């Protein structure tokens, strides 16, 4: 997709003036505060932290599978589904945002285990919101597919972590690839037959040593089943044995052990992505250099995708967090050390309205801090005792600290 050029002008008082149509396109209202940061020789304009554009709703923390990559391998939290009263409170708060944010039904459970899921998609659409859903595909029956399409779902994401029955079953224990693919093809066939079918269909692939060779075949599958999107993420190693599966050690553990803003930068032109170049780039990164390519660099460092995209997450119990990684207590392995992350809950929709929680001073202040990313470089340093939790860091940051978050380093991503 090509980028669109937008224009602004600086008035006599040094103020940046946007045209009304540009302001409306990006939901900028009078009084919005926008942050700028240097981006090479230019400037990057950041979304105002006051702008809510997407809500992750966790309908259920239950799941019908047992996957190697799952947080449940280190999780000790109650399992349940969201009540109708909690969802109604979310929708009541949604009505106070204009335009309404996108509703993404996901989280750490399988959404289709919730009996009211399809009705909730329809409710979100009736409220004027865009609706997306991610599923493991095992419960995507013909009846479920028809109902989701009729409810007006905008995007269906299906997690697919292997391209052969053997590699798929090796990751997603308890599931069958042929059955899931049959479900996806059936869903595709049921979509209105036109050039731009709806809902859109996307595949989500978690890449690791044991399945990365399947990626080209996953791309072929995406084309065969009519998927227009493919989201690839690295694996987050919740257990020690999963650390051997990571594909990003060279990116994080370079010889200088310094965060990218302190490391030397190498500017490269566009080149053929052959194996020789790949080996060379690996050697460059091992020497601690940051690579910048003409026409676009590597994924941004020290940039939280949740804050930048104006999102928040709501758990099955109504708890509200600024992002999915902080919605639940969990631990993961970071550079051979275990890091414990305590959940950060800013409110609960059962007690407070959604607009009130969004505008709480401490919630706004946290989003501003994350946008500035004023945290110690826990991902890149050698690892002190403080880096083992998100309670504080060596810069004196208060809970929760985000210096050890792999989402903010472009390593882990969510659809």
């Amino acid at each position: 997709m090509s980028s669109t050029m937008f224009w602004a002008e600086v008035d006599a008082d040094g103020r940046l003036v946007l045209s009304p149509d540009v302001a409306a396109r990006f939901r900028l209202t009078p009084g919005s505060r926008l942050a700028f940061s240097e981006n090479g020789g230019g400037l990057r304009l950041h979304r105002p932290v006051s702008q809510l554009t997407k809500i992750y709703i966790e309908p259920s923390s239950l799941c019908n599978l047992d996957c190697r990559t799952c947080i449940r391998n280190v999780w000790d939290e109650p399992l349940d589904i969201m009540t109708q009263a909690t969802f109604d409170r979310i929708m009541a708060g949604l009505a106070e945002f204009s335009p309404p944010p996108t509703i993404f039904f996901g989280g750490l459970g399988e959404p289709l285990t919730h009996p009211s899921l399809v009705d909730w998609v329809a409710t979100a659409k009736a409220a004027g919101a865009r609706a997306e859903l991610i599923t493991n595909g095992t419960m995507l029956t013909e009846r479920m597919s028809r109902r989701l399409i009729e409810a007006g779902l905008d995007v269906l994401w299906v997690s697919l972590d292997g391209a052969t029955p053997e590699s798929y079953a090796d990751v997603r224990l308890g599931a069958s690839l042929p059955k899931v693919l049959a479900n996806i093809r059936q869903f595709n066939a049921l979509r209105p037959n036109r050039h731009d079918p709806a809902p859109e269909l996307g595949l989500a692939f978690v890449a690791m040593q044991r399945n990365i060779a399947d990626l080209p075949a996953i791309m072929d599958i995406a084309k065969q089943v009519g998927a227009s999107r493919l989201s690839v993420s690295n694996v987050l190693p919740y257990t020690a044995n999963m650390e051997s599966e990571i594909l990003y050690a060279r990116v994080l553990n370079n010889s200088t052990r310094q965060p990218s803003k302190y490391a030397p930068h190498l500017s490269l032109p566009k080149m053929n992505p052959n194996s020789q170049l790949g080996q060379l780039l690996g050697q460059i990164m091992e020497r601690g250099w940051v690579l910048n390519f003409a026409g676009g660099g590597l994924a941004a460092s020290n940039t939280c995708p949740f804050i930048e995209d104006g999102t928040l997450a709501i758990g099955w119990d109504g708890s509200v967090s600024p992002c999915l990684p902080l919605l639940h207590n969990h631990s993961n392995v970071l550079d051979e050390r275990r890091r414990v992350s305590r959940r950060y809950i800013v409110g609960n929709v059962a007690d407070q309205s959604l607009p009130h929680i969004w505008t709480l001073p401490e919630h706004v202040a946290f989003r501003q801090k994350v946008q500035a990313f004023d945290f110690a470089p826990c991902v890149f340093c050698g690892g002190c005792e403080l880096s083992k939790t998100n309670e504080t860091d060596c810069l004196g940051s208060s809970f929760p600290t985000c210096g050890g978050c792999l989402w903010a380093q472009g390593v882990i991503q969510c659809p």
Side-chain angles (χ1 to χ4, degrees):
M1 182 181 296
S2 61
S3 60
T4 302
M5 183 74 73
F6 298 101
W7 296 94
E9 64 180 34
V10 179
D11 66 13
D13 296 319
R15 294 174 298 191
L16 187 67
V17 181
L18 302 176
S19 64
D21 58 321
V22 171
R25 178 186 178 99
F26 293 98
R27 304 181 180 184
L28 301 176
T29 56
S32 296
R33 292 177 58 86
L34 284 76
F36 290 85
S37 61
E38 288 189 75
N39 184 16
L43 292 174
R44 178 183 178 187
L45 183 63
H46 297 260
R47 185 188 303 275
V49 297
S50 59
Q51 191 180 96
L52 177 62
T53 63
K54 187 175 185 177
I55 301 176
Y56 288 91
I57 295 180
E58 182 180 68
S60 170
S61 61
L62 306 175
C63 189
N64 60 327
L65 297 183
D66 181 19
C67 302
R68 291 184 185 275
T69 56
C70 188
I71 192 175
R72 284 171 178 75
N73 294 311
V74 293
W75 208 17
D76 184 21
E77 291 199 11
L79 304 177
D80 212 331
I81 63 173
M82 182 176 286
T83 66
Q84 184 65 47
T86 297
F87 181 75
D88 290 343
R89 288 280 294 175
I90 297 172
M91 296 309 299
L94 191 74
E96 298 188 40
F97 293 92
S98 181
T102 294
I103 300 297
F104 189 105
F105 293 98
L108 299 180
E110 167 55 49
L112 296 186
T113 60
H114 199 294
S116 300
L117 191 279
V118 176
D119 293 334
W120 289 1
V121 170
T123 300
K125 292 297 298 178
R130 180 177 174 84
E132 301 188 22
L133 164 69
I134 189 166
T135 175
N136 59 37
T138 59
M139 303 177 68
L140 192 65
T141 63
E142 179 181 357
R143 180 172 182 272
M144 178 61 71
S145 293
R146 290 185 184 278
R147 294 183 65 206
L148 287 172
I149 294 170
E150 292 170 358
L153 184 69
D154 291 287
V155 184
L156 177 73
W157 289 94
V158 181
S159 297
L160 208 64
D161 297 333
T164 68
E166 295 76 19
S167 62
Y168 177 85
D170 183 49
V171 177
R172 296 201 163 258
L173 310 181
S176 165
L177 180 63
K179 176 60 177 175
V180 171
L181 289 179
N183 290 346
I184 299 173
R185 293 190 181 100
Q186 181 175 253
F187 178 86
N188 181 40
L190 291 171
R191 293 189 294 172
N193 184 22
R194 57 177 186 268
H195 178 68
D196 186 22
E200 286 186 73
L201 179 60
L203 302 183
F205 179 78
V206 177
M208 54 195 118
Q209 295 283 355
R210 69 175 61 224
N211 70 353
I212 188 60
D214 282 11
L215 184 54
I218 289 288
M219 298 170 70
D220 293 338
I221 290 174
K223 185 175 182 179
Q224 293 165 8
V225 300
S228 57
R229 304 185 183 197
L230 176 57
S231 176
V232 179
S233 175
N234 280 294
V235 67
L236 183 65
Y238 291 114
T239 59
N241 64 333
M242 287 302 294
E243 190 179 22
S244 62
E245 297 286 348
I246 67 173
L247 299 166
Y248 47 87
R250 286 183 174 179
V251 177
L252 300 182
N253 302 326
N254 56 60
S255 61
T256 62
R257 306 195 68 83
Q258 295 290 334
S260 59
K261 69 178 181 179
Y262 300 122
H265 287 237
L266 175 63
S267 180
L268 294 171
K270 294 181 179 178
M271 298 179 177
N272 291 330
N274 54 33
S275 59
Q276 182 180 6
L277 177 62
Q279 293 174 4
L280 175 61
L281 297 183
Q283 294 172 15
I284 292 171
M285 287 188 287
E286 285 182 333
R287 285 167 169 76
W289 287 74
V290 173
L291 306 180
N292 295 313
F293 292 95
L298 299 178
S301 297
N302 297 339
T303 303
C304 174
F306 298 101
I307 300 301
E308 289 294 324
D309 291 345
T311 71
L312 57 74
I314 306 178
W316 66 266
D317 60 353
S319 297
V320 179
S321 177
C323 65
L324 280 175
L326 289 175
L327 188 59
H328 295 283
N329 297 315
H330 69 276
S331 63
N332 63 276
V333 180
L334 180 62
D335 193 20
E336 299 183 347
R337 64 188 187 275
R338 180 157 297 281
R339 179 177 172 86
V340 178
S341 292
R342 178 160 62 93
R343 70 193 301 224
Y344 177 52
I345 303 302
V346 293
N348 193 297
V349 294
D351 308 315
Q352 302 163 305
S353 72
L354 195 58
H356 176 77
I357 295 173
W358 179 249
T359 56
L360 282 171
E362 58 267 34
H363 191 187
V364 175
F366 176 74
R367 299 198 301 270
Q368 291 173 332
K369 182 178 179 66
V370 174
Q371 191 170 70
F373 216 80
D374 188 20
F375 301 103
C378 299
V379 166
F380 303 95
C381 78
C384 67
E385 287 299 312
L386 295 179
S387 69
K388 294 181 178 180
T389 72
N390 66 340
E391 298 292 338
T392 186
D393 61 28
C394 60
L395 298 183
S397 301
S398 59
F399 170 81
T401 61
C402 301
C405 177
L406 293 177
W407 277 265
Q409 304 307 326
V411 172
I412 311 294
Q413 65 176 351
C414 298

